[in-house]
Amino acid sequence: MTMETLPKALEVDEKSPEAKDLLPSQTASSLCISSRSESVWTTTPRSNWEIYRKPIVIMSVGGAILLFGVVITCLAYTLKLGEKSLCILKMVGPAFLSLGLMMLVCGLVWVPIIKKKQKQRQKSNFLRSLKSFFLTR
């Protein structure tokens, strides 16, 4: 059965939502445009804040959650509360402690990775410029 012999009921109207799903997507190009990752296409230098913003935010949020977990855990063991609320605080406190510590460590590990990536990028830019210098002669 070819496309020409399909009944009219099976054809998709161009203005229908089904037709919009069938249109070619622009996601690949829009992702490249909106991406904040540094690639070979971007040549503008970025400030330190732009480079280290995400790890700083992750470390700050992780530290705040860790501190919140410490406070809740301390309150659970120092206050005289009912059995049910004491049990809940003893479960929630260490959960916030572990979540905060995990986020803090992720941010701390992310910083040296970014530094290493920056050094590699500087080396590759230097080698690329040397290569273009010698190839143009």
Side-chain angles (χ1 to χ4, degrees), residues 49 52-64 103-104 107 110:
W49 172 248
Y52 295 109
R53 180 188 70 221
K54 290 179 184 176
I56 289 172
V57 169
I58 293 292
M59 285 188 291
S60 301
V61 170
M103 288 181 71
L104 185 65
W110 200 352

Side-chain angles (χ1 to χ4, degrees), residues 64-113:
I65 292 174
L66 179 72
L67 200 61
F68 184 69
V70 168
V71 168
I72 287 182
T73 305
C74 289
L75 288 176
Y77 287 104
T78 57
L79 293 178
K80 304 274 191 245
L81 299 171
E83 191 65 34
K84 192 172 185 176
S85 60
L86 187 68
C87 181
I88 291 173
L89 282 179
K90 284 186 178 180
M91 286 191 311
V92 171
F96 278 111
L97 271 169
S98 62
L99 181 66
L101 186 62
M102 181 181 66
M103 288 181 71
L104 185 65
V105 168
C106 285
L108 288 172
V109 169
W110 200 352
V111 171
I113 291 172

